[in-house]
Amino acid sequence: KSLVCSYSLETFLDKNHKLAFPMISLSDIPVADIKEYMSQYGSYLIGFSREWVIKNGFNPVWYCEKDNLALREHRKQLYQTINQRKNANLNITILALHYGAYIKDIEGPLYVKSKDITYSNYRFYDEREYRYIPDFNYLLQNNIKPALLEKEYDEYKKTNGNGLIKHSVPFTLDDIKILIVKTDKQATELKELIKGKNHSIHIFSHKEIKQSIIGVEHQLITEKK
C-alpha cells in the first residue's frame, strides 16, 4: 500500500501563469473541525498517524499573501527560468523549485469537482496543508520533470490518463489511525472486516462524526401526518 505522487497544478503568478509540481498533499485538520471538509474532496477520509507523516518527510506548506514582494519576485524568476529554459545554475534552480513547491497562497479560487462549483476566494490557509515533495535531484536522475508548465501538464495528463508519476510513499494499516466513510452501513462493514486483526483504527460514518464528535445535526425530521 502506498500514496502515489501526482503533479498538482498551482496558480503561480496569476491564472495565466501556472506550474505543476509532483507531490502528495495531506491536511492537518482536527477531527472536531472537519465538518466542512468531509465532502470537499470526496466522501471518504483517511487519517494517518502524525509519526508516519513526519517520518516520511511531509512538511507544512508556507502560506503567503499574493502581494508579498519576495514571493512574487521568486515566482517570477522561477517561472521565467522554466518557461524560457534559461541556462541557470542547476543547484540554485533546484533550491528555487523546492521553495516554489512548498509556497501556497493564503486564499484564491478553487474548483471543487465533486460539487461542480468554484470558490472565488477559498481560504487554503484553513486546511493546514502538509506536502511531500520528492527530491528533485532524484526526479531528474529518473527523467521525471520536477515542474511542468500548464500546457505540459495538460499534455502529460492526456498522454498518461492522469497526473501520477512513478514515485510513492508506502504505508501499512498500522499507520492509519482513523477512517471516515459516508454511511453507518459502510462503517459497520469496515469494523467487521478488520475485527480481530489487531489494528487500532477508529472508524466513523459522517453522521457519527457530526453528532458524536462535532455535536451538530441531532435534529430528526419527521413527515407530517
Side-chain angles (χ1 to χ4, degrees), residues 107-150:
E107 65 178 27
L110 174 70
Y111 173 68
V112 180
K113 187 176 181 180
S114 61
K115 296 181 179 180
D116 193 27
I117 58 174
T118 297
Y119 297 95
S120 60
N121 60 336
Y122 184 82
R123 187 64 63 89
F124 298 109
Y125 183 78
D126 294 340
E127 293 188 350
R128 309 179 195 185
E129 184 180 352
Y130 269 63
R131 285 180 180 175
Y132 170 82
I133 306 295
D135 186 314
F136 288 152
N137 282 300
Y138 164 86
L139 295 181
L140 290 171
Q141 291 168 9
N142 288 272
N143 297 316
I144 301 172
K145 290 185 177 181
L148 299 176
L149 298 168
E150 184 174 12

Side-chain angles (χ1 to χ4, degrees), residues 34-101:
I34 210 167
K35 178 177 180 290
E36 298 299 323
Y37 303 94
M38 285 197 295
S39 59
Q40 196 77 285
Y41 299 107
S43 300
Y44 304 90
L45 291 86
I46 301 175
F48 293 96
S49 71
R50 187 171 183 82
E51 293 76 16
W52 178 86
V53 171
I54 302 303
K55 180 182 71 176
N56 283 281
F58 286 82
N59 278 280
V61 300
W62 305 327
Y63 290 102
C64 202
E65 293 287 359
K66 290 186 180 69
D67 294 333
N68 183 291
L69 184 60
L71 170 66
R72 292 193 62 81
E73 187 61 26
H74 169 269
R75 285 180 165 177
K76 179 181 176 181
Q77 295 295 331
L78 180 56
Y79 187 88
Q80 288 178 349
T81 297
I82 296 172
N83 185 38
Q84 300 173 13
R85 298 294 190 263
K86 288 183 176 180
N87 292 323
N89 182 288
L90 180 60
N91 290 331
I92 293 177
T93 300
I94 289 175
L95 178 62
L97 283 168
H98 274 294
Y99 276 113

